[in-house]
Amino acid sequence: MKLSDGEKIILIMLADLHKHLKVEGEIDPDFVSETIYGDKLWGFHWKFSGLPLSEEAEPQEVSETVDILEMYSLIGAHFRDLPAPEQERVLKETNITDMTFPGFDGNNDPHKGVARYLVKQLERFTDLKGATNNSHSRGSLPRYLRMLAIYLPMRDELGSGRLTADQIIKIFTAR
């Protein structure tokens, strides 16, 4: 969705009026304001999928962030389903202490803002521990992208199956 500067100001003013008058409705004025102020206009399409809004390509960091958070979410769920000896083997062979998502670099990576918006405004990935963490590391995104290169072909073949310990190890050793 594209909005002119004038349309953005009008929407912010309407959201402010909506809040001030305590109007009860389906559209959250705080969501509208956060989406416009955060320059996350793609979020309107996500939130209001039932409305016939124009579809435009999302910024690359949106699809990458979604794929990365999905990858960590799926790995965490499948890791928890592994037998204890397999979990221990995964942790040992990957040098990971737990499956918490380390986060994106809050100072240098726009993925951090996308992740925060997905969790706080769109209420996605709320069950992923660490989804809004700040990794404080410029190297986090390149690591995640290397992991994605291994994970995405697995996801396409996985269907409703489960990741094995060997697959999880393969993904994490790509870091």
Side-chain angles (χ1 to χ4, degrees):
M1 168 184 288
K2 290 189 189 253
L3 294 174
S4 69
D5 291 343
E7 290 168 326
K8 291 175 186 176
I9 291 170
I10 290 168
L11 285 172
I12 294 292
M13 288 172 57
L14 285 171
D16 286 347
L17 279 172
H18 194 274
K19 286 193 305 193
H20 179 74
L21 296 174
K22 297 181 176 136
V23 175
E24 302 264 340
E26 292 182 35
I27 296 181
D28 177 7
D30 290 327
F31 173 79
V32 172
S33 298
E34 288 285 329
T35 299
I36 293 171
Y37 282 125
D39 196 26
K40 308 271 189 290
L41 300 182
W42 53 267
F44 287 126
H45 182 70
W46 280 59
K47 184 80 166 180
F48 307 117
S49 59
L51 292 176
L53 301 173
S54 62
E55 281 201 46
E56 294 184 26
E58 298 169 343
Q60 180 178 344
E61 64 262 14
V62 173
S63 58
E64 287 176 349
T65 303
V66 169
D67 284 344
I68 291 165
L69 294 177
E70 174 200 276
M71 173 180 68
Y72 263 89
S73 183
L74 190 70
I75 288 171
H78 292 187
F79 174 81
R80 287 187 294 277
D81 289 344
L82 291 173
E86 289 291 286
Q87 288 182 5
E88 291 171 22
R89 182 169 73 89
V90 168
L91 296 175
K92 181 179 179 188
E93 291 186 30
T94 60
N95 285 329
I96 294 174
T97 55
D98 66 29
M99 290 289 150
T100 301
F101 178 63
F104 295 101
D105 182 11
N107 294 325
N108 302 294
D109 188 351
H111 294 76
K112 170 75 168 101
V114 172
R116 183 183 181 287
Y117 181 82
L118 285 165
V119 173
K120 302 289 185 189
Q121 297 301 321
L122 295 175
E123 299 174 349
R124 308 285 175 104
F125 302 105
T126 55
D127 61 333
L128 178 59
K129 189 176 176 185
T132 60
N133 282 356
N134 185 347
S135 69
H136 300 287
S137 169
R138 286 182 183 226
S140 58
L141 181 61
R143 281 194 303 273
Y144 302 149
L145 294 176
R146 288 191 297 273
M147 292 169 69
L148 267 184
I150 302 299
Y151 165 75
L152 290 175
M154 285 181 191
R155 178 185 73 180
D156 293 342
E157 294 176 11
L158 196 59
S160 61
R162 314 293 290 168
L163 289 170
T164 65
D166 288 333
Q167 288 173 313
I168 294 171
I169 290 166
K170 186 174 181 181
I171 293 167
F172 275 103
T173 54
R175 299 178 312 154

